[in-house]
Amino acid sequence: RLGRGSDNQVLKMNGTSLNWETVTAGLWTQIGNYRASSEESGVTFSSLGVDLDNDYSKIVLIMTGKSAGAFNGGFYLNAVSSGAKYDYTQIVNDSTTVAGSVINENVINVLPTGLVDGSDNYFNIQLEITFSGIDDEFMYQWSAGAAHEGNIIGAGKSTLASSGDEIDTINVSFGANWRAGTQINLYKVAI
């Protein structure tokens, strides 16, 4: 019989017996979560302090919800909302067309205008942010969609608003409200 382990330990097999071991690199750690209690159009995760080149391989944001009206939606990372802009390619697959475009904007637009075209549309987003290998730059990729309409995928890069290879703030900003119950989970993934 094996007694209980300590905080932050997991049960593992070492080849001959079961052991309690401290959590090691490679696991996801939740660094933010949000569940809307009313209709809202934006939320900010701050003081994240994730050093991508030294400690973590990526940040993953997963959002699911229901719209309160037609909208577009996107993200600002580390307050990069003007000046230093986001460069990315996106491919939209709606109910009638598949179209790709190269974009330079002040927001990572993961739900472009038209994809959510009314209220009570279910939508989902997964955004991954990784260090590019170049000082103060990060890469990102995402997939998103509205259940009744279509999907979008994309990838790009941006420069941090301040030096340090650290993601400290993620702002979620939509053009109209989402319903109560919409949720976001934010994780950092160790190297």
Side-chain angles (χ1 to χ4, degrees):
R1 181 176 173 182
L2 183 66
R4 68 182 182 185
S6 301
D7 288 348
N8 300 316
Q9 287 190 319
V10 294
L11 191 60
K12 288 187 173 183
M13 177 67 108
N14 70 0
T16 58
S17 62
L18 288 171
N19 289 320
W20 288 106
E21 297 182 16
T22 302
V23 173
T24 58
L27 298 179
W28 290 28
T29 302
Q30 189 174 56
I31 56 174
N33 68 318
Y34 157 91
R35 185 174 177 89
S37 57
S38 60
E39 290 188 10
E40 297 177 14
S41 63
V43 65
T44 298
F45 297 92
S46 58
S47 301
L48 300 175
V50 180
D51 189 339
L52 289 175
D53 63 333
N54 287 324
D55 302 324
Y56 297 94
S57 61
K58 68 175 65 176
I59 294 173
V60 179
L61 183 148
I62 300 169
M63 181 177 187
T64 58
K66 196 175 192 182
S67 65
F71 63 59
N72 61 347
F75 298 89
Y76 301 98
L77 312 179
N78 277 16
V80 179
S81 58
S82 63
K85 304 216 178 201
Y86 301 96
D87 293 301
Y88 60 91
T89 301
Q90 68 177 19
I91 300 173
V92 181
N93 175 17
D94 65 19
S95 61
T96 57
T97 63
V98 176
S101 57
V102 179
I103 297 172
N104 178 263
E105 287 188 358
N106 64 351
V107 62
I108 303 170
N109 194 359
V110 298
L111 288 171
T113 301
L115 199 64
V116 175
D117 62 5
S119 62
D120 297 323
N121 293 168
Y122 289 99
F123 65 89
N124 65 80
I125 298 165
Q126 180 163 320
L127 171 68
E128 295 186 10
I129 306 158
T130 59
F131 176 54
S132 69
I134 306 299
D135 285 348
D136 304 325
E137 290 186 359
F138 57 86
M139 305 290 292
Y140 46 89
Q141 61 185 13
W142 73 89
S143 59
H148 75 296
E149 183 66 26
N151 301 291
I152 178 171
I153 59 172
K157 74 176 185 70
S158 186
T159 303
L160 295 175
S162 58
S163 62
D165 304 319
E166 204 170 83
I167 300 293
D168 198 55
T169 303
I170 299 177
N171 175 257
V172 184
S173 181
F174 280 27
N177 288 349
W178 53 69
R179 296 281 191 203
T182 294
Q183 58 187 11
I184 303 172
N185 288 294
L186 187 61
Y187 304 91
K188 59 186 179 183
V189 184
I191 293 173

